[in-house]
Amino acid sequence: MDQTLPAPAPSTRWTRFHGVRRAFRNLVLRGALLELVTFGFYRFWLATDIRRHLWSHTLVDGDPLEYVGRARELLIGFLIATAILMPAYLVYFLIGIEAERVQAFASLPLSLFLYLFAQFAIYRARRYRVTRTVWRGLRFTMTGSGIGYAWRAALWDLAVLLSLGAALPWRQAALERYRMRHTAYGDLQGGFDGTGRELFRRGWHLWLLTVPALLTIIPLPFLIAAWRATMLQWWVSNVRFGEVRFHSYLERRALFGTYWKATGWWVLLGILMGLWVSGIFGLAAALAQPAPDGTPDYAAAFAHPLALGGLGLGYLLMALAAGVVVRIYLTRDIWARIVETTAVYGLEAADHATGQGEAVDAIGEGFAGGLDLNIGGL
């Protein structure tokens, strides 16, 4: 049963989304094709185009958001972040040359470093997107420390692990409070009023259903969709900028169809990938030199250039197609649902907001985008 939501007041102002789905679909399909021919480097331009589309078609009280980020910033940020990681990989490689036993021991600190750097990148990625967002000619700003966020996220993830997931609502609330208290719209200070207890109360039964859902698989898309809708409704309803507050009327069942459509596409892509692999492997077996007894030499077929090239191409096409599904159903469609069900209160306080802050670099954003750490394809 959906949570009870208060009725909107007659004077409520709303956010609206007026993007055309076909235009977005064409944008991501063209982007996937260009990713293929550029070996993935077009992803930074595609991410920028997607944000410009979503931002510009999102209206707050009739005025659109504006995304002013540039793809070149993401690419440079990715290259810089990769350069930062290269010494760590080099040290690990040199240790591995010395002794396999030492290499195994060294993998733990390397994994810890990569995890912490990923959390740092996630924070910096959000900071970049915030500072590239403009509304009514005024830029949003975000400060705070990516390092400070990383160790907070690490401690909370440890608590989630030790509690078998029960601490997740408190993690979400604590990290969002940290992010929002360092966010502002002009001189309107951001804030987050949500609590872990509130989110736990809304979703505890979904947490209990996790193990049965994992065992039976079929209810899993329902469970994920219900949790995502619950968390998004909770998050939007607790965000504020000064006296400007938001409330989401997104129902828990609102994302069921979206997740089932995405799941259906993924199943179809998995079947197509299986047929592709079978066909490539069968053709390679027919072309490969047979074994001495005249039977097909499957080991030689697997090492055949046709098999290696075909499997690589199939995997790349599968990944690009899955990315298209994510961007259409789990990025664009969910974004539109959230925007269409969000009310704004006290918006007149934004009329007197004044500018402050400045744009930040894209080091973390480029790294997060390059490794798909941006949730939902954004």
Side-chain angles (χ1 to χ4, degrees):
M1 183 179 295
D2 290 330
Q3 63 271 31
T4 301
L5 301 178
S11 60
T12 300
R13 304 189 194 185
W14 294 88
T15 58
R16 288 288 179 253
F17 184 78
H18 64 99
V20 179
R21 198 168 190 273
R22 178 182 294 180
F24 185 85
R25 184 179 66 239
N26 292 340
L27 185 153
V28 296
L29 288 174
R30 178 178 61 87
L33 178 61
L34 291 173
E35 281 188 287
L36 177 64
V37 300
T38 61
F39 302 99
F41 274 94
Y42 188 76
R43 65 184 302 113
F44 304 108
W45 281 261
L46 178 57
T48 300
D49 290 340
I50 288 174
R51 292 171 190 171
R52 286 175 179 166
H53 178 93
L54 295 179
W55 266 243
S56 64
H57 290 93
T58 298
L59 308 179
V60 181
D61 194 32
D63 295 314
L65 298 175
E66 182 182 1
Y67 179 76
V68 295
R70 295 181 296 172
R72 186 176 62 180
E73 295 174 333
L74 302 185
L75 176 60
I76 294 174
F78 172 72
L79 295 176
I80 294 175
T82 303
I84 294 174
L85 292 177
M86 285 302 295
Y89 283 114
L90 179 60
V91 170
Y92 180 69
F93 174 75
L94 294 177
I95 291 176
I97 295 178
E98 292 297 322
E100 184 176 346
R101 179 176 60 85
V102 178
Q103 181 187 33
F105 175 77
S107 64
L108 179 60
L110 177 65
S111 299
L112 180 60
F113 171 76
L114 292 177
Y115 164 80
L116 291 173
F117 191 84
Q119 296 301 323
F120 167 85
I122 289 172
Y123 185 83
R124 295 285 297 190
R126 173 156 163 171
R127 187 180 174 188
Y128 173 85
R129 291 193 297 273
V130 166
T131 62
R132 296 309 189 277
T133 299
V134 175
W135 183 65
R136 290 182 176 175
L138 189 60
R139 182 192 300 271
F140 287 81
T141 59
M142 186 173 179
T143 57
S145 168
I147 295 176
Y149 177 85
W151 70 259
R152 284 176 172 83
L155 293 177
W156 274 111
D157 282 342
L158 179 61
V160 170
L161 181 64
L162 295 177
S163 65
L164 300 180
L168 180 61
W170 284 268
R171 175 196 186 273
Q172 298 298 105
L175 294 182
E176 191 58 39
R177 280 195 296 272
Y178 181 83
R179 290 187 289 254
M180 285 305 301
R181 74 169 176 258
H182 292 98
T183 305
Y185 173 67
D187 58 358
L188 294 181
Q189 178 60 49
F192 186 76
D193 299 327
T195 64
R197 181 179 180 181
E198 179 189 359
L199 182 57
F200 182 81
R201 179 178 57 81
R202 296 185 183 191
W204 64 269
H205 56 291
L206 300 175
W207 172 65
L208 291 179
L209 291 173
T210 301
V211 173
L214 289 173
L215 293 176
T216 56
I217 300 298
I218 294 177
L220 197 57
F222 284 116
L223 187 66
I224 296 174
W227 170 251
R228 183 85 185 275
T230 297
M231 192 165 66
L232 287 171
Q233 198 277 334
W234 165 81
W235 175 73
V236 172
S237 299
N238 287 288
V239 167
R240 58 178 171 81
F241 290 93
E243 297 301 317
V244 180
R245 295 177 177 273
F246 301 85
H247 189 87
S248 171
Y249 291 88
L250 185 72
E251 296 182 343
R252 184 173 294 151
R253 64 176 179 268
L255 304 183
F256 284 172
T258 299
Y259 271 88
W260 269 110
K261 289 174 185 177
T263 300
W265 276 107
W266 287 329
V267 171
L268 177 60
L269 290 175
I271 294 173
L272 293 176
M273 183 64 180
L275 294 175
W276 175 273
V277 170
S278 298
I280 289 294
F281 193 70
L283 183 59
L287 296 176
Q289 191 72 23
D293 59 0
T295 60
D297 188 344
Y298 292 106
F302 188 78
H304 195 279
L306 176 64
L308 296 177
L311 291 176
L313 178 60
Y315 173 80
L316 181 58
L317 292 173
M318 174 78 171
L320 292 175
V324 169
V325 171
V326 168
R327 286 158 177 155
I328 293 176
Y329 292 100
L330 303 187
T331 299
R332 187 265 177 201
D333 287 358
I334 291 180
W335 177 286
R337 287 290 182 91
I338 296 170
V339 172
E340 286 293 321
T341 56
T342 296
V344 189
Y345 302 93
L347 191 58
E348 58 275 3
D351 294 340
H352 308 290
T354 56
Q356 63 176 10
E358 58 184 19
V360 298
D361 62 69
I363 294 179
E365 166 72 344
F367 178 77
L371 298 184
D372 274 340
L373 296 177
N374 295 329
I375 304 302
L378 282 179

